Amino acid sequence: MQRIGFIGPGIMGAPMAANVVRAGYEVVGFGRSERSVERLTAAGAKVASSVAEASTDVDAVVTVLPDSPDVEAVVLGEGGVLDSARGGTLLVDMSTIRPEVARAVAEAGHARDVGVLDAPVSGGEQGAVEGTLSVMVGGAADDVARAMPLLETMGRTIVHVGPSGAGQTVKAANQLLVAGTIGLVSEALVLLEASGVDPTKGLEVLAGGLAGNRILDRKAASMLAREFTPGFRVELHHKDMGIALDAARAADVALPLTGLAAQLVAAAQASGRGHEDHSALLAVVEALSGRTDGRKGD
Amino acid sequence: MQRIGFIGPGIMGAPMAANVVRAGYEVVGFGRSERSVERLTAAGAKVASSVAEASTDVDAVVTVLPDSPDVEAVVLGEGGVLDSARGGTLLVDMSTIRPEVARAVAEAGHARDVGVLDAPVSGGEQGAVEGTLSVMVGGAADDVARAMPLLETMGRTIVHVGPSGAGQTVKAANQLLVAGTIGLVSEALVLLEASGVDPTKGLEVLAGGLAGNRILDRKAASMLAREFTPGFRVELHHKDMGIALDAARAADVALPLTGLAAQLVAAAQASGRGHEDHSALLAVVEALSGRTDGRKGD
Amino acid sequence: MQRIGFIGPGIMGAPMAANVVRAGYEVVGFGRSERSVERLTAAGAKVASSVAEASTDVDAVVTVLPDSPDVEAVVLGEGGVLDSARGGTLLVDMSTIRPEVARAVAEAGHARDVGVLDAPVSGGEQGAVEGTLSVMVGGAADDVARAMPLLETMGRTIVHVGPSGAGQTVKAANQLLVAGTIGLVSEALVLLEASGVDPTKGLEVLAGGLAGNRILDRKAASMLAREFTPGFRVELHHKDMGIALDAARAADVALPLTGLAAQLVAAAQASGRGHEDHSALLAVVEALSGRTDGRKGD
Amino acid sequence: MQRIGFIGPGIMGAPMAANVVRAGYEVVGFGRSERSVERLTAAGAKVASSVAEASTDVDAVVTVLPDSPDVEAVVLGEGGVLDSARGGTLLVDMSTIRPEVARAVAEAGHARDVGVLDAPVSGGEQGAVEGTLSVMVGGAADDVARAMPLLETMGRTIVHVGPSGAGQTVKAANQLLVAGTIGLVSEALVLLEASGVDPTKGLEVLAGGLAGNRILDRKAASMLAREFTPGFRVELHHKDMGIALDAARAADVALPLTGLAAQLVAAAQASGRGHEDHSALLAVVEALSGRTDGRKGD
């Protein structure tokens, strides 16, 4: 595998593409904005003028797109990846989308002899830059094997979790756990502060026991300081909670805490915090009790 | 501080008392059951025939009791600790009870020149045996300083988190976080299994990222195996969720995820799982979707 | 039955006592505040100087008290109703308290040959004044029969729903239904307004179909106008949701919607709306989405 | 308006079409199944062989279809209503679909000079047969005026609630209220039964006060008897809760009780009750506490 089409060089996609170039692959990239083109050039990629061009005569196409409809348009649409890629090309979709759409895209690919993997990531912009993303991969074992060297240029932990759609399902599970945990940590913190407990020491104790989690490890300090610079934006997590609930519906399961956590994330979005870090859920939980910045009233 | 009264040598209390004896303190213990008396003797403690006897002529009294009314009875009741202890005695209540009761007990103690600390623990039976408990301490700084050598015989991490009641509040926060996290992990697992994802690999990926937590670290394997031997029993966690909600009420805050998680724990209790490990919340979440042991139907 | 002790002539109790006087009973009342004494005098009752006096040489004692501890103190305490009432007296507790406390009070009464009924009411101040309250009665059938003429002076619908505590359980069920329904109507209204629907017409349609309920019938207009003058105060409903959750715990059942609704009521209380009508839950639901008075932002 | 195309003669659509015929309109109907064709013939309608035929040379087209994608396909697809209808035709979509799709359909219609109303109904099969449906109409006032005589053949209460999509939003609000209310009534009932209260008398008292609602009025008896013959099926309500949550997302509001109620409906669906009446939510709430048919255990 030598020549890679790369579609979607945004905040995550651009540094990911740069890592692919750095590893010695020939990258032909496409992005809609001028900003994207600059990023691709800076990364050392060739710039294609269309999805079709980025999908023609390549060994693999990587897509990093915002949402399910974008993937449907870019892959399944007229002049899309499947219209342009030759048989035997591998499509690696690293967007976070609905598992059902991932399965549909995989089926459409297979009908054209294009192997398809769903390979969403976690680890944020920093992980994308440093090539240390976690990648959850769904698809056929031989396609995963083929893609592995490519994926290893972008991520550190790459796990094949099941058939098509499985990568997206694990990502959905990841997002519901993260949102729920931020919510619970927020509730714990509000309880401590409202009860006159030293919140720094309180969270420290919590972090050290069975209640410990990565949110406490990484975000306790910024949450205590009400510092909500992203990081991962509320608006993206709001989108992802929609995906998680859709995945639950498709899998015919009921997830009560997830259903409620999704509404708390929706509240963060609705109250104008869409561009803040998802830890701003704390502000929603506080406001519910008429509190701001650790104090009663505003 | 040399002579310690020790009231409540149960599953947690007995090994805690043994560690105090081992550290060279003279321990006078009291427990209501024959089993308790045996445990005290085995631990090398003297056996008192009443709460009063265990509270007389001692430097400190340690209580490890099941619930708020037990502490009220033993400490505030006729012939209780405060009736018997001389001025200057220190009362260290290591039970998990309502923060409000802890504050009331502290006030009653101070009126009799008895310093009172609330010092609930986490770390389970194993931590009690090994003397590696985490202890969350509420009370006056000088009382905490006095108690420190004693507490260090039982725990490894001892943190003074605030005034009277603060220890119980942190414990309540701990319990809501643990219950909520078990619930979220259960929902993630049910989603994975119902979607055809390899659950072992899926949980492994989740544990490695921002969704990671101590429940995944310590209980993923037993949850995957539906092995619910305690550990920490559902019935105790059910009691503790009541304390958490009472603490929220007393602090005048609203905790929506906690409110829902408390009902899921109540469901585990109500469906006959009171004596199982709290990770049996998984069985509740599964049953909600008509699933058992990772499969549809029963 | 001719001579009635009446303890607790507050906003509800005073007009209830007045109706008993009006029906020809001899009423000996006791209240702690000067205001209470005035009310009793105005109502035509004799004024007792203690609970004991109001419980001595009477055929029945009626209590209308704020919460469970008040009933425990007044009935079970030293110099309380059970210390003073002669055998054969009937105690009719019309307070809203925990079903478990009602059962304990009934047991204590029976041990002294005092029949006890729990008989909480709904219908508000207006119902108390007009004598049109609904009364949910728990206790023995013959005690209910004895009390019926007395109860009929205060209420219009008097239903014997089961043994001791059953009246309080039905009241708890009433309160969870009312809080939950106000919450749901609030969510429906916020959805309508945020979607550009005419909210008045929208609620009108909802009220006419399967979604119809008494909250829409009686409170839609005031909710649309954000007019939250009580009516029934948030702080009382907050107390009652605590009773409902305690009742669920005692009955060993899990009530998820109730658990969440209780936190929304707690949010109304915590955000300073304790003295407003319980329909102010709408303001909580609105604020969660960054909305005020039917509009985005504030 | 004389000649009406009618697409979707299912359980609801067939009796609705029959009422249109009965009122003197000429109806040209189209349905995909043989059963549909029989129904149309029985109703006295002419049978068209395609959507196009049913949309050609008619004054209005009525659609009664299962879900959003069906409406998109039938109206916007190739050979669909908008491809076939002449300028000036009125499209009245009486399906329950996402408000956003209703708005998109309306826009597409207006681009072709086809007026579009969203006009979902409530009242069930019985209402459809008797012509007593409630109809919630979104769209332009003059289109509503034109459609009114036609709508009055099918419904008794026809309310114009706002612009395009408003009808669907009100329907979504209706469905969240109904699901939430069934859930609350179920929780109340489980609490009563588990507490030893006479459930029939308990529900009767609740129905008479501020807690009263149409579910108690119409379904208490069948719920007490665990008689879950539809009525309105769980699987349809499950679909509709998805619409309600999508509508909330589109309107940028957070609806916590709705989010949880949606998961309880999902649980009913997931546990094999999709074809039962939506009041089978009671069985979900019961099972959560290890109860069946009003009793502990099974």
Side-chain angles (χ1 to χ4, degrees):
Chain A
M1 208 179 273
Q2 259 315 103
R3 197 173 146 86
I4 310 293
F6 202 107
I7 299 167
I11 292 175
M12 293 295 288
M16 288 162 73
N19 281 323
V20 177
V21 170
R22 211 165 287 140
Y25 290 88
E26 188 185 342
V27 172
V28 190
F30 174 73
R32 264 175 306 189
S33 71
E34 217 168 299
R35 188 74 207 286
S36 300
V37 173
E38 284 166 25
R39 277 170 173 151
L40 283 170
T41 311
K46 288 177 189 162
V47 175
S49 62
S50 67
V51 166
E53 194 185 329
S55 310
T56 305
D57 289 329
V58 294
D59 301 310
V61 177
V62 173
T63 46
V64 187
L65 296 163
D67 204 351
S68 306
D70 306 292
V71 172
E72 290 177 313
V74 162
V75 176
L76 308 177
E78 221 174 307
V81 175
L82 294 186
D83 266 6
S84 317
R86 65 183 172 216
T89 306
L90 188 65
L91 170 61
V92 183
D93 179 35
M94 303 184 79
S95 322
T96 293
I97 64 169
R98 296 171 53 204
E100 283 197 300
V101 173
R103 280 189 286 269
V105 166
E107 270 183 45
H110 296 161
R112 306 233 186 167
D113 192 27
V114 170
V116 178
L117 299 177
D118 51 298
V121 304
S122 73
E125 191 181 349
Q126 196 184 336
V129 170
E130 298 174 354
T132 58
L133 294 166
S134 290
V135 190
M136 308 144 212
V137 192
D142 56 339
D143 289 336
V144 177
R146 271 207 293 158
M148 197 51 86
L150 174 62
L151 291 171
E152 283 171 343
T153 69
M154 295 178 272
R156 186 153 54 193
T157 310
I158 293 123
V159 186
H160 181 204
V161 292
S164 287
Q168 296 298 349
T169 302
V170 174
K171 181 67 191 287
N174 188 78
Q175 296 305 76
L176 76 84
L177 259 170
V178 170
T181 306
I182 295 175
L184 289 167
V185 167
S186 298
E187 295 191 6
L189 179 51
V190 167
L191 175 61
L192 296 180
E193 291 179 335
S195 305
V197 177
D198 180 324
T200 305
K201 285 194 180 155
L203 291 192
E204 186 194 315
V205 177
L206 295 176
L210 191 55
N213 58 58
R214 220 57 58 82
I215 299 298
L216 278 169
D217 296 346
R218 297 200 191 154
K219 289 182 183 283
S222 59
M223 287 172 79
L224 281 163
R226 270 67 182 174
E227 162 61 38
F228 300 133
T229 314
F232 189 73
R233 291 202 304 282
V234 163
E235 61 186 357
L236 291 172
H237 214 139
H238 182 46
K239 181 206 80 165
D240 290 354
M241 293 308 282
I243 292 174
L245 290 178
D246 280 341
R249 180 173 286 265
D252 201 19
V253 294
L255 308 181
L257 290 165
T258 302
L260 178 54
Q263 295 306 314
L264 296 179
V265 176
Q269 172 72 22
S271 51
R273 297 181 178 276
H275 287 78
E276 298 184 3
D277 187 67
H278 49 174
S279 57
L281 218 50
L282 170 58
V284 169
V285 172
E286 270 200 295
L288 204 51
S289 297
R291 301 178 63 86
T292 319
D293 293 343
R295 286 183 308 279
K296 191 79 189 179
D298 50 353
Chain B
M1 209 179 272
Q2 258 316 104
R3 197 174 146 86
I4 310 293
F6 202 107
I7 300 168
I11 291 175
M12 293 295 287
M16 289 163 72
N19 282 323
V20 177
V21 170
R22 212 164 286 141
Y25 289 89
E26 188 185 342
V27 171
V28 190
F30 173 74
R32 262 174 306 190
S33 69
E34 217 168 300
R35 188 73 207 286
S36 301
V37 173
E38 285 166 25
R39 277 168 171 154
L40 283 169
T41 311
K46 288 176 189 162
V47 175
S49 62
S50 67
V51 166
E53 193 186 330
S55 311
T56 304
D57 289 328
V58 294
D59 302 310
V61 177
V62 173
T63 45
V64 187
L65 296 163
D67 204 350
S68 306
D70 307 292
V71 172
E72 289 176 314
V74 162
V75 176
L76 307 177
E78 222 173 306
V81 176
L82 294 186
D83 265 6
S84 318
R86 64 184 174 216
T89 305
L90 188 65
L91 169 61
V92 184
D93 177 36
M94 304 185 77
S95 321
T96 293
I97 63 169
R98 296 171 53 204
E100 282 197 301
V101 173
R103 280 188 287 269
V105 166
E107 269 183 46
H110 297 162
R112 306 231 185 169
D113 193 25
V114 170
V116 179
L117 299 177
D118 51 298
V121 304
S122 73
E125 192 181 349
Q126 195 185 336
V129 170
E130 298 173 354
T132 58
L133 295 166
S134 290
V135 190
M136 309 144 212
V137 191
D142 55 341
D143 289 336
V144 177
R146 271 208 292 159
M148 197 52 86
L150 174 62
L151 292 171
E152 283 171 342
T153 68
M154 295 178 272
R156 186 154 54 193
T157 310
I158 293 122
V159 187
H160 181 205
V161 292
S164 286
Q168 296 298 350
T169 302
V170 174
K171 181 68 191 286
N174 188 78
Q175 296 305 75
L176 78 83
L177 258 169
V178 170
T181 305
I182 295 175
L184 289 167
V185 167
S186 299
E187 295 193 5
L189 179 52
V190 167
L191 176 60
L192 296 181
E193 291 179 335
S195 304
V197 177
D198 179 324
T200 305
K201 286 194 179 154
L203 291 192
E204 185 195 317
V205 177
L206 295 176
L210 191 55
N213 57 58
R214 220 56 60 82
I215 300 298
L216 277 170
D217 295 346
R218 297 198 192 155
K219 289 181 183 285
S222 59
M223 287 172 79
L224 281 163
R226 268 71 180 173
E227 163 59 39
F228 301 134
T229 313
F232 188 74
R233 290 202 305 282
V234 163
E235 63 187 355
L236 292 172
H237 214 139
H238 181 47
K239 181 206 80 165
D240 291 354
M241 293 306 284
I243 291 174
L245 290 178
D246 279 341
R249 179 173 286 264
D252 201 19
V253 294
L255 307 181
L257 289 166
T258 303
L260 178 53
Q263 295 307 313
L264 296 179
V265 177
Q269 172 72 24
S271 51
R273 297 180 177 276
H275 287 78
E276 298 184 2
D277 186 65
H278 49 173
S279 57
L281 219 50
L282 170 58
V284 170
V285 172
E286 269 200 296
L288 204 52
S289 298
R291 300 177 64 86
T292 317
D293 292 343
R295 287 183 307 280
K296 192 77 189 181
D298 51 352
Chain C
M1 208 179 273
Q2 259 313 104
R3 196 173 147 85
I4 311 291
F6 201 108
I7 299 169
I11 292 175
M12 294 294 289
M16 289 162 73
N19 281 323
V20 177
V21 170
R22 211 164 288 138
Y25 290 88
E26 187 184 344
V27 172
V28 189
F30 173 74
R32 262 175 306 190
S33 71
E34 217 168 299
R35 187 76 207 285
S36 299
V37 172
E38 285 166 24
R39 277 170 172 153
L40 283 169
T41 311
K46 287 173 189 165
V47 175
S49 60
S50 67
V51 166
E53 195 186 329
S55 311
T56 304
D57 289 328
V58 295
D59 302 308
V61 177
V62 173
T63 45
V64 187
L65 297 162
D67 204 349
S68 306
D70 307 292
V71 172
E72 289 177 313
V74 163
V75 177
L76 308 177
E78 222 173 306
V81 176
L82 295 186
D83 264 6
S84 317
R86 65 183 172 216
T89 306
L90 188 64
L91 169 61
V92 183
D93 178 34
M94 304 184 79
S95 322
T96 293
I97 63 169
R98 296 171 52 205
E100 281 196 301
V101 173
R103 279 188 287 267
V105 166
E107 269 183 45
H110 297 161
R112 306 233 185 167
D113 192 26
V114 169
V116 178
L117 299 176
D118 50 298
V121 304
S122 74
E125 192 182 348
Q126 195 184 338
V129 171
E130 298 174 353
T132 58
L133 294 166
S134 290
V135 191
M136 308 145 212
V137 192
D142 56 340
D143 289 335
V144 178
R146 269 207 293 157
M148 197 51 87
L150 174 62
L151 292 172
E152 283 171 344
T153 67
M154 296 179 271
R156 186 154 52 193
T157 311
I158 294 124
V159 186
H160 181 206
V161 291
S164 286
Q168 295 298 349
T169 302
V170 174
K171 181 69 190 284
N174 189 77
Q175 296 306 74
L176 76 85
L177 258 170
V178 170
T181 305
I182 295 174
L184 289 167
V185 166
S186 298
E187 295 193 6
L189 179 52
V190 167
L191 176 60
L192 295 181
E193 291 179 334
S195 305
V197 177
D198 180 325
T200 306
K201 284 192 180 155
L203 292 191
E204 185 194 318
V205 176
L206 295 176
L210 191 56
N213 56 58
R214 219 56 58 82
I215 300 297
L216 278 169
D217 295 345
R218 296 198 192 155
K219 289 182 182 283
S222 59
M223 288 172 80
L224 281 163
R226 269 69 181 175
E227 162 61 38
F228 300 134
T229 313
F232 189 73
R233 290 200 305 281
V234 164
E235 62 186 358
L236 291 173
H237 214 140
H238 181 48
K239 183 206 80 166
D240 290 354
M241 293 308 282
I243 291 174
L245 290 178
D246 280 341
R249 178 173 287 264
D252 201 19
V253 294
L255 308 181
L257 289 166
T258 303
L260 178 53
Q263 295 306 314
L264 296 179
V265 176
Q269 172 72 23
S271 51
R273 297 180 177 279
H275 287 79
E276 298 183 1
D277 185 66
H278 49 174
S279 57
L281 218 50
L282 170 59
V284 170
V285 172
E286 269 200 298
L288 203 54
S289 297
R291 301 177 64 87
T292 318
D293 292 342
R295 286 181 309 278
K296 191 79 187 180
D298 49 352
Chain D
M1 206 179 273
Q2 260 314 105
R3 195 173 146 86
I4 310 292
F6 202 106
I7 299 169
I11 292 175
M12 293 294 288
M16 289 162 72
N19 281 322
V20 178
V21 170
R22 211 165 287 138
Y25 290 90
E26 187 184 344
V27 172
V28 189
F30 173 74
R32 263 176 304 191
S33 70
E34 215 168 302
R35 187 75 207 285
S36 300
V37 172
E38 285 166 24
R39 277 170 172 152
L40 283 169
T41 311
K46 288 174 189 164
V47 176
S49 61
S50 67
V51 166
E53 193 185 330
S55 311
T56 304
D57 289 329
V58 295
D59 302 309
V61 177
V62 174
T63 46
V64 188
L65 297 162
D67 205 350
S68 306
D70 306 293
V71 171
E72 289 177 314
V74 162
V75 176
L76 308 177
E78 223 173 307
V81 175
L82 294 187
D83 265 7
S84 318
R86 66 184 173 218
T89 305
L90 188 65
L91 169 61
V92 183
D93 178 35
M94 304 184 79
S95 322
T96 292
I97 62 170
R98 296 172 52 206
E100 282 195 301
V101 172
R103 281 188 286 269
V105 165
E107 270 183 47
H110 297 162
R112 306 232 183 169
D113 193 26
V114 169
V116 178
L117 299 176
D118 51 297
V121 304
S122 74
E125 191 181 348
Q126 196 184 337
V129 170
E130 299 174 353
T132 58
L133 295 166
S134 290
V135 191
M136 308 144 213
V137 192
D142 55 340
D143 288 336
V144 177
R146 270 209 291 159
M148 197 50 88
L150 174 62
L151 292 171
E152 283 171 342
T153 67
M154 295 178 272
R156 183 153 55 193
T157 311
I158 293 125
V159 186
H160 181 204
V161 291
S164 287
Q168 296 297 349
T169 302
V170 175
K171 181 69 191 284
N174 188 78
Q175 296 305 76
L176 77 84
L177 259 169
V178 170
T181 305
I182 295 175
L184 289 168
V185 167
S186 298
E187 295 192 5
L189 179 52
V190 167
L191 176 60
L192 296 181
E193 290 179 334
S195 305
V197 177
D198 180 323
T200 305
K201 283 194 181 155
L203 292 192
E204 183 194 319
V205 177
L206 296 176
L210 191 55
N213 56 58
R214 218 59 58 82
I215 301 296
L216 278 169
D217 295 346
R218 297 199 193 155
K219 289 182 183 285
S222 58
M223 288 172 79
L224 281 164
R226 268 68 180 174
E227 162 61 37
F228 300 135
T229 313
F232 189 72
R233 290 201 304 282
V234 163
E235 62 186 356
L236 291 172
H237 214 141
H238 182 46
K239 182 206 80 165
D240 290 354
M241 293 309 283
I243 292 174
L245 290 178
D246 280 340
R249 180 171 286 264
D252 201 18
V253 294
L255 308 181
L257 289 166
T258 303
L260 179 53
Q263 295 306 314
L264 296 179
V265 176
Q269 172 71 24
S271 51
R273 298 182 176 277
H275 287 77
E276 298 183 2
D277 187 65
H278 50 173
S279 57
L281 219 49
L282 170 58
V284 169
V285 172
E286 270 200 296
L288 203 53
S289 298
R291 300 178 63 86
T292 319
D293 292 343
R295 286 182 307 277
K296 191 79 187 177
D298 48 352

